[in-house]
Amino acid sequence: MMKSPTILAVGAAYIDRRGQVSGAFVPAASNPGTMREAVGGAVFNALCCAVRRGVSGSLLSVRGGDVLADTVSRAIAAAGIADLSVVFLDRTTPSNTTIIDGDGALIVGLADMALYDLALTKQIRRAKVREAISTADAVLCDANLPPMALERLVALAAGKPVFALAVSPSKAARLAPVLEFLAMAFMNRHDAGALTGADVDADERGIVDGLRRAGLKSGVVTAGDGPVLGFDAAGAFSILPPKKVADGAADAVAGATVAALLRGLTLRAALREGVAAAMLAVENATFTSAIFAEALAFVPEARDVA
């Protein structure tokens, strides 16, 4: 039996709260609605998907010494991921809270993630982390890491592919100093604009050219219900997803694509698997081989970007 590829993931695993107002939103008032809570984080979501696609994964993150930390720990274990994270007893576990209106439009978001900036850079110096990098086939990270941590991680992983998730336009800029050293970066059009200065409505060729000029050799750019753009040394192409790719579904694109690349697939073939995984993430469907094959059958072939 072939040994499954191994990934060390470094970045965010936090409490993700999502509240939705019932009816019309009234500012400065108590609004009825619903609140859901789960464990999220770009690199955690992506690694979970990669593990479902046959990868062995370990995760380095940081969390507080509170009850929420236990929730995060249980979610990591339930996903079959080895937990290398560090607990700071005097800190609170990072969280992200978003409130949306009845139509799904964002009202406000609150990201309590200062612990990542405070602690992750130091954690990457640990001998246990250096050992994990040395035994992994690839490294997966997100831009919740501060710039110094990203630079240190890329240096330690020299000779091994490093895949990165941009997370958001404000955090995507953290990737700029290490773009040329990445095997691939995953982002949406807003993130790409933050890295290149291009308009969010720029044509596909313009996005690819801008990212190449910024130093990125290979990348994936999602666009909600628009085409998913991919490029590498072999050229640029796009795939029209059957369902909208947003939020955690974009993380699923990254996880499944990386898993397929580590199995030896080309980016064109791997990104089709990423889009299929995003479909299943939107539907909260399981990842059995048969269900995944059915989803993949709905994903169209890639078309070249002119």
Side-chain angles (χ1 to χ4, degrees), residues 6-31:
T6 59
I7 292 177
L8 170 65
V10 185
Y14 52 70
I15 298 297
D16 195 8
R17 303 185 187 92
R18 184 179 179 88
Q20 183 165 21
V21 173
S22 299
F25 169 65
V26 181
S30 178
N31 288 259

Side-chain angles (χ1 to χ4, degrees), residues 185-236:
F186 296 84
M187 66 196 77
N188 62 29
R189 279 179 169 254
H190 295 281
D191 304 330
L195 284 168
T196 65
D199 186 88
V200 68
D201 295 321
D203 61 49
E204 293 174 337
R205 175 53 63 185
I207 292 172
V208 171
D209 291 345
L211 289 170
R212 288 192 192 278
R213 286 194 297 270
L216 188 63
K217 298 183 289 291
S218 181
V220 170
V221 183
T222 59
D225 53 5
V228 178
L229 178 63
F231 69 93
D232 60 8

Side-chain angles (χ1 to χ4, degrees), residues 89-175:
L89 295 177
D90 60 341
R91 300 284 177 172
T92 58
T93 296
S95 64
N96 185 56
T97 304
T98 57
I99 305 297
I100 61 176
D101 65 19
D103 295 322
L106 179 67
I107 296 172
V108 67
L110 178 63
D112 181 5
M113 300 187 189
L115 186 57
Y116 295 138
D117 286 342
L118 178 70
L120 273 174
T121 301
K122 185 175 181 180
Q123 298 312 310
I124 294 174
R125 298 174 184 166
R126 294 165 52 205
K128 190 174 183 179
V129 175
R130 294 196 297 272
E131 180 183 347
I133 292 173
S134 70
T135 58
D137 294 307
V139 174
L140 178 66
C141 64
D142 65 31
N144 286 297
L145 274 71
M148 186 177 295
L150 286 165
E151 292 177 18
R152 182 166 293 152
L153 184 64
V154 167
L156 288 173
K160 297 192 175 183
V162 178
F163 302 92
L165 293 91
V167 179
S168 70
S170 60
K171 291 183 177 178
R174 296 179 173 189
L175 297 178

